[in-house]
Amino acid sequence: MNEHVETPPVAIEDLPLLRASGLTRFYGDRIGCRDISLSLWPGEVLAIVGESGSGKTTLLNCLASRLVPTAGCVEYRMRDGTVRDLFRMSEAERRVLMRTDWGFVHQNPIDGLRMSVSAGANVGERLMAVGARHYGKIRGEAEHWLERVEIATDRIDDDPRAFSGGMRQRLQIARNLVTNPRLVFMDEPTGGLDVSVQARLLDLIRQLVADLGLAVVLVTHDLAVARLLSHRMMVMKGGVIIEQGLTDRILDDPREPYTQLLVSSILQV
Amino acid sequence: MNETAAIDAKDAAPVYNFAYLDEQTKRMIRRALLKAVAIPGYQVPFASREMPMPYGWGTGGVQVTASVLGPDDVLKVIDQGADDTTNAVAIRGFFEKTARVATTTVTEEATVIQTRHRIPETRLGANQILVYQVPIPEPLRYLEPREVETRKMHGLAEYGLMHVKLYEDIAKHGHIAATYAYPVNVNGRYVMDPSPIPKFDNPKMDDCEALQLFGAGREKRIYAIPPHTSVVSLDFEDHPFKVQEFSEPCALCGSRGVYLDEVILDDRGGRMFVCSDTDYCERHRPEDGTAPVAVWEEER
């Protein structure tokens, strides 16, 4: 299965970071997503778009190994270059991967944050989970990341409960990025925010993704968000991918009737 | 023994099995204890029984004591260090009646010591068993409410969250503010709640010669620290673990380096600090009968 890894002439950047093949998830008789194959390269932002119930989040959860697929496999290229099947890894390994090399940004920051501990502890949690035991250094790192996501450092000891929606979302991003992950999953990261806050958050995400060379799988129903952030795009309907390609191509020249409908449904101000 | 005791014993004999619990229950608890000793710090589930006392009064400790007690044992029971408080007196009486074992208040004489929230000041020896009463065995409980998740965290030794709590303490109070039930790492593997003993007692658990058993009746968990096991209190490199220090000695016996209780004397702010370990305190009083408390009162 992993033979291609051993061929030396291929540069490591040219190999996909994440590869899914034949990914299928059923909920009883109902289809979550069906027979989905995709590859994601380092530093690439892939948007998965589609209407509610199209299977976007199911696919994302399967990719992030938060949900076990009914069929298919997901392979991930580890930092040491080996390619591993996520669902053949031990749970311990998978959990280590999830809190070091990966990030997951939830639509609702409450799902991704510890609401009863301070912002600093939220950011520092991953560091402590991988063995950081120096309070001063953990705090310094937390301050650095709060600054990076434009949260005033004097809010470091405040609970996220005292934060606005936009701040919480930025805190969630900081919490995920503190271990320098290579891959971040985002589920509607700007959902539920008003447009000006959304715009600033998008700016921030775009900047961080570029600075850190993150690979991102972004699920959104908002085509404008997808256009701003993503390089490549997949359109889902009824649990299958009906169209994929470069973001600009899909948005400017949609081929499938459903994609055309989706693109033409964007409200113009 | 006087006449009343004889009548008591006669009455008790047909009613109770030795040490109250039936033999099958004691075997079940001993099996749990063996497993707990084999995996230091790991919480072993056990079929906790109803005891003739409410949860929170030491039902876990009493069941463990009942299971390890033999006819030749000498039992001591302390409640926050004291031999003469309600809980201690009641549990001691319980085993006097149901097991007819000898009891004592002298730490060195005891072979089994059941304790609520203290470790005696006197160093424990290899022939002794210390049984703790535990209200909440799960150190991660208030950080992660899902038991499924906390068990997984123990299984995978994912203890970063424990340090999140300590981080919060330092961020809010400038130092690790936890003073009791201070989390420890046992044998380099499991993080364990040492029951609500003051953190002053934590160092006594490390490399202790006595066998330490923990019973949580309501939560149905047993765990153990075998003799000579490493017990390390969690901390940060730049905020190391420290025990409480007291500026003055015990007002009754003058001992230093022991854990003191504050006793309010009047409603005008009068107070004194005395040993929480009553046995230790009584045996360290000056022999000439001069109570240092009087001196201290005059100094005011």
Side-chain angles (χ1 to χ4, degrees), chain B residues 247-248 251 261-274 293 296-297 300:
Chain B
S247 51
E248 38 190 302
D261 279 341
E262 181 182 2
V263 178
I264 305 290
L265 299 172
D266 51 40
D267 58 0
R268 287 171 287 115
R271 55 186 193 158
M272 65 175 185
F273 289 91
V274 297
V293 61
W296 182 78
E297 285 284 23
R300 290 182 74 228

Side-chain angles (χ1 to χ4, degrees), chain B residues 215-250:
Chain B
R218 181 187 53 211
E219 303 280 329
K220 301 174 173 55
R221 293 288 183 278
I222 280 172
Y223 50 104
I225 304 174
H228 299 293
T229 303
S230 90
V231 177
V232 179
S233 304
L234 303 182
D235 59 3
F236 285 103
E237 287 157 18
D238 48 345
H239 285 266
F241 172 78
K242 269 195 248 131
V243 299
Q244 291 102 330
E245 280 170 13
F246 299 90
S247 51
E248 38 190 302
C250 169

Side-chain angles (χ1 to χ4, degrees), chain B residues 70-276:
Chain B
D72 302 330
D73 273 315
V74 181
L75 179 69
K76 170 183 164 82
V77 184
I78 52 173
D79 176 359
Q80 306 230 347
D83 293 278
D84 53 3
T85 53
T86 314
N87 200 207
V89 171
I91 292 175
R92 203 161 54 227
F94 176 78
F95 284 113
E96 277 169 3
K97 185 169 183 183
T98 60
R100 279 179 278 162
V101 290
T103 56
T104 183
T105 58
V106 181
T107 304
E108 292 93 326
E109 286 175 5
T111 55
V112 177
I113 303 172
Q114 180 170 336
T115 173
R116 173 176 173 269
H117 309 182
R118 262 325 296 282
I119 298 176
E121 302 293 355
T122 312
R123 198 183 168 85
L124 299 177
N127 61 335
Q128 293 180 306
I129 299 177
L130 186 60
V131 178
Y132 295 76
Q133 300 172 199
V134 182
I136 294 166
E138 180 50 74
L140 300 161
R141 173 69 50 87
Y142 293 111
L143 303 162
E144 173 55 66
R146 291 168 296 176
E147 186 84 1
V148 173
E149 185 66 16
T150 54
R151 283 190 213 179
K152 199 172 276 178
M153 290 160 81
H154 283 296
L156 303 174
E158 284 183 5
Y159 292 127
L161 200 51
M162 211 69 243
H163 274 85
V164 171
K165 181 176 178 282
L166 301 181
Y167 172 98
E168 276 295 276
D169 262 13
I170 303 173
K172 293 217 160 79
H173 309 289
H175 60 100
I176 299 176
T179 54
Y180 65 96
Y182 192 102
V184 293
N185 185 298
V186 180
N187 202 24
R189 177 60 180 83
Y190 283 95
V191 165
M192 189 194 91
D193 184 333
S195 88
I197 58 170
K199 66 177 172 184
F200 181 87
D201 286 342
N202 274 19
K204 294 180 193 163
M205 292 193 291
D206 182 36
D207 197 31
C208 178
E209 266 189 52
L211 172 62
Q212 302 174 74
L213 304 174
F214 298 76
R218 181 187 53 211
E219 303 280 329
K220 301 174 173 55
R221 293 288 183 278
I222 280 172
Y223 50 104
I225 304 174
H228 299 293
T229 303
S230 90
V231 177
V232 179
S233 304
L234 303 182
D235 59 3
F236 285 103
E237 287 157 18
D238 48 345
H239 285 266
F241 172 78
K242 269 195 248 131
V243 299
Q244 291 102 330
E245 280 170 13
F246 299 90
S247 51
E248 38 190 302
C250 169
L252 295 178
C253 71
S255 296
R256 289 182 184 273
V258 294
Y259 191 73
L260 302 180
D261 279 341
E262 181 182 2
V263 178
I264 305 290
L265 299 172
D266 51 40
D267 58 0
R268 287 171 287 115
R271 55 186 193 158
M272 65 175 185
F273 289 91
V274 297
C275 289
S276 108

Side-chain angles (χ1 to χ4, degrees), chain B residues 281-295:
Chain B
C281 190
E282 275 162 23
R283 291 191 289 127
H284 282 78
R285 301 262 166 88
E287 277 172 19
D288 56 4
T290 53
V293 61
V295 180

Side-chain angles (χ1 to χ4, degrees), chain A residues 21-26 33 35-36 62 68-74 87:
Chain A
S21 42
L23 211 55
T24 301
R25 167 76 196 197
F26 281 99
C33 61
D35 198 24
I36 289 176
C62 285
V68 180
T70 316
C73 76
V74 182
F87 297 100

